[in-house]
Amino acid sequence: AQTVTQSQPEMSVQEAETVTLSCTYDTSESDYYLFWYKQPPSRQMILVIRQEAYKQQNATENRFSVNFQKAAKSFSLKISDSQLGDAAMYFCAYRSAAYSGAGSYQLTFGKGTKLSVIP
Amino acid sequence: GAGVSQSPSNKVTEKGKDVELRCDPISGHTALYWYRQSLGQGLEFLIYFQGNSAPDKSGLPSDRFSAERTGGSVSTLTIQRTQQEDSAVYLCASSFSLAGDTQYFGPGTRLTVL
């Protein structure tokens, strides 16, 4: 079974600064997807960024980028020019790319990192 | 609709009662997922549906939990004889298909069992 670990329960960043959230995962699969989701107090889980394991190039979405290290099984999220609206829980998630039995297509989540943005 | 919708937003019930939670996926999405989010257990997968195929129920925690999806669209998650440990936020997500597609989430239903 796959596991996802987020070792930073809480982090804070000054507005306009850069912050990096860490995520590691454990899998024996070679093809998979990784995601970062953001969950503000409204509870709505919002997709931030997605990475396909077969792609060597790191995904970017505006101020959000990832550092995907497949051999190290590491998938960190960098938020540049942090804004007050970035304050939320951030979840790293893993999903298999191929069917390998029951539950294959579920998302496996880390415990989350609570990000605070200081004005 | 523009996104995944869930109802009710909040539900308070008494221990032992049955509850039904509803999810309306994004139009055109064939795959639908239910997750549970609780303080102690984090985010847990419950069940997913793909089109008219038999659902994958491998995440359901007990036989008190069941779900159905009518007409390949709306889904209902039913919890029978609710227990206090069932208190959680129940999240629904949908995707265009199962294979490789991003899951988009609804706002969730907060269930409180007294």
Side-chain angles (χ1 to χ4, degrees):
Chain A
Q2 293 79 27
T3 58
V4 177
T5 302
Q6 292 179 250
S7 59
Q8 306 151 316
E10 295 189 26
M11 290 197 72
S12 62
V13 61
Q14 290 284 146
E15 196 174 1
E17 296 295 310
T18 296
V19 64
T20 299
L21 308 184
S22 300
C23 172
T24 59
Y25 58 95
D26 189 22
T27 184
S28 59
E29 299 174 335
S30 60
D31 199 13
Y32 46 87
Y33 303 93
L34 295 165
F35 304 85
W36 279 98
Y37 282 90
K38 166 186 174 181
Q39 188 180 42
S42 66
R43 289 199 313 246
Q44 181 91 44
M45 197 78 82
I46 302 164
L47 176 69
V48 175
I49 202 163
R50 161 193 164 120
Q51 175 81 43
E52 288 86 354
Y54 66 85
K55 291 185 178 178
Q56 292 187 338
Q57 187 172 7
N58 290 322
T60 62
E61 285 289 340
N62 301 315
R63 299 182 294 107
F64 299 88
S65 61
V66 298
N67 183 3
F68 173 48
Q69 301 289 329
K70 190 173 184 179
K73 296 179 183 175
S74 171
F75 182 61
S76 61
L77 174 70
K78 186 171 82 171
I79 306 173
S80 304
D81 185 26
S82 297
Q83 300 175 0
L84 295 177
D86 295 334
M89 283 290 290
Y90 285 81
F91 291 94
C92 179
Y94 173 103
R95 182 186 187 281
S96 298
Y99 184 77
S100 60
S104 289
Y105 295 125
Q106 65 172 290
L107 285 169
T108 300
F109 289 90
K111 294 292 187 185
T113 296
K114 184 178 181 180
L115 178 67
S116 301
V117 180
I118 303 164
Chain B
V4 178
S5 60
Q6 293 186 244
S7 61
S9 179
N10 293 282
K11 176 73 176 179
V12 180
T13 191
E14 294 178 348
K15 179 182 172 181
K17 301 279 191 182
D18 297 351
V19 295
E20 287 188 350
L21 312 179
R22 175 189 168 104
C23 173
D24 202 341
I26 293 171
S27 179
H29 280 193
T30 62
L32 186 148
Y33 314 76
W34 284 98
Y35 294 87
R36 178 170 70 174
Q37 184 175 25
S38 59
L39 281 175
Q41 301 299 321
L43 278 148
E44 306 171 279
F45 161 73
L46 296 176
I47 185 171
Y48 64 68
F49 299 84
Q50 167 59 27
N52 295 320
S53 302
D56 183 326
K57 306 179 183 180
S58 58
L60 293 179
S62 77
D63 58 8
R64 296 186 296 104
F65 288 72
S66 63
E68 64 176 19
R69 190 177 183 192
T70 53
S73 182
V74 172
S75 176
T76 302
L77 177 69
T78 301
I79 308 173
Q80 296 179 309
R81 305 180 303 282
T82 52
Q83 303 295 311
Q84 288 185 329
E85 60 263 30
D86 299 334
S87 296
V89 174
Y90 290 82
L91 294 167
C92 176
S94 71
S95 63
F96 185 72
S97 70
L98 268 184
D101 287 316
T102 296
Q103 297 178 27
Y104 296 93
F105 284 80
T109 294
R110 180 177 297 280
L111 175 66
T112 303
V113 182
L114 301 177

